[in-house]
Amino acid sequence: MNSKSILLKIFHKLLGQYGTRQWWPAKTRFEVIVGAVLTQNVTWKNAKKAVDNLKKAGLLSCAALALAKHTEVAEKIISSRYYNQKAKKLKAFSFFLMNSYAGSLNKLFSGKMEDLREELLKIKGIGKETADCILLYAGHMPSFVSDAYTKRFLDRYGLLNGMTTYDDIRNFFMQNLPEDVYLYNEYHALIVYHGHAVCQSKPDCPHCPVRVIDKTTYCRYAQSQLI
DNA sequence: GTCCAGGGCCTAC
DNA sequence: GTAGGCCATGGA
């Protein structure tokens, strides 16, 4: 079976097992972007608390964040960890959007995807994963989101084939899957759910007949179920 | 008390 | 180009 068929087969297995993941849970595109920054290296639960605090304080807009004082933003997002860093990141993105696109997400997302990706990557605090989350979940553009789960996932199913960098893996999915926003959306969410919420990579994972000792240990249950 | 979440930046080699 | 430290909460 070629990579294309395997990736699609795994996707349909995951979707059948877990159903749609309903990502991204946010009301506006700006909220998606704020959430993408706040969830960096923290659980969504903690990130969401921070998003809600910003919303209550009337800070969930580009203009409001750009004008707010650093401490005002930071204290609202304490639950998201690294709050000082993240306050700077939120303000940096807001300044970028104000200055380059007059605060308009419509304008931001009207350009070419790869060009926009490069532009986002220049903003301090937005790395590749966050940029792809913004493109996919806020901009509804077909940019596959990779991450540590995705790498481990490919490794577990023997599909990694020496790929090491983030872009290697992103390209692998994008070259072997149809250019489909819905597909990319669900696939990333399902990989995270499968790897985290279900398989958990913990010694007591109820789905793994073989103990999963650490993040790199093979999950035989997962393999047998999905391929 | 320990471990780890829907990362990214900076520095040193 | 990459390994390692830093950032510094909250739940299990």
Side-chain angles (χ1 to χ4, degrees):
Chain A
M1 212 185 316
N2 59 30
S3 301
K4 225 167 250 189
S5 312
I6 292 175
L7 283 184
L8 277 177
K9 184 171 182 182
I10 291 177
F11 173 74
H12 289 296
K13 280 273 194 177
L14 287 170
L15 189 61
Q17 267 186 265
Y18 307 133
T20 58
R21 297 287 85 214
Q22 316 275 344
W23 276 26
W24 193 286
K27 292 200 171 167
T28 67
R29 290 182 298 180
F30 192 78
E31 187 175 329
V32 174
I33 295 167
V34 169
V37 168
L38 293 181
T39 197
Q40 289 172 357
N41 210 24
V42 72
T43 57
W44 174 248
K45 199 172 177 181
N46 279 10
K48 185 168 189 318
K49 277 186 195 169
V51 173
D52 290 344
N53 281 341
L54 288 175
K55 196 183 290 184
K56 277 183 206 162
L59 291 174
L60 206 52
S61 76
C62 178
L65 277 176
L67 291 173
K69 286 183 181 169
H70 169 87
T71 50
E72 194 183 349
V73 178
E75 69 183 15
K76 300 292 184 296
I77 62 172
I78 287 177
S79 66
S80 74
R81 200 183 179 195
Y82 313 134
Y83 46 85
N84 281 321
Q85 300 271 338
K86 288 179 178 177
K88 285 183 191 169
K89 294 177 182 183
L90 291 181
K91 287 182 69 68
F93 176 81
S94 299
F95 280 128
F96 158 78
L97 189 60
M98 289 297 281
N99 294 335
S100 301
Y101 293 93
S104 164
L105 289 177
N106 283 335
K107 288 179 185 167
L108 177 74
F109 292 122
S110 65
K112 278 179 63 182
M113 184 175 82
E114 293 297 334
D115 293 343
L116 178 51
R117 186 173 192 256
E118 290 307 311
E119 213 173 342
L120 290 172
L121 289 175
K122 288 178 189 163
I123 303 170
K124 199 157 289 191
I126 297 187
K128 290 177 176 173
E129 184 179 343
T130 306
D132 290 328
C133 278
I134 290 172
L135 293 170
L136 180 63
Y137 293 105
H140 308 295
M141 291 171 146
S143 187
F144 198 90
V145 179
S146 177
D147 64 353
Y149 287 115
T150 312
K151 188 172 185 180
R152 191 162 80 240
F153 183 82
L154 291 179
D155 195 22
R156 283 177 170 176
Y157 301 119
L159 297 170
L160 200 51
N161 296 325
M163 288 186 286
T164 54
T165 69
Y166 180 96
D167 284 331
D168 282 345
I169 293 171
R170 174 177 183 256
N171 291 337
F172 175 71
F173 278 90
M174 292 176 70
Q175 284 161 8
N176 288 291
L177 289 173
E179 192 179 287
D180 183 329
V181 172
Y182 168 77
L183 178 63
Y184 291 4
N185 177 324
E186 286 296 340
Y187 215 145
H188 172 66
L190 285 164
I191 287 173
V192 173
Y193 186 73
H194 176 70
H196 173 216
V198 176
C199 195
Q200 295 186 348
S201 300
K202 288 177 181 172
D204 58 350
C205 170
H207 300 279
C208 298
V210 177
R211 283 167 63 87
V212 176
I213 299 164
D214 57 54
K215 284 187 172 183
T216 58
T217 305
Y218 209 93
C219 172
R220 291 186 192 170
Y221 170 82
Q223 185 195 41
S224 67
Q225 293 298 302
L226 294 175
I227 295 182

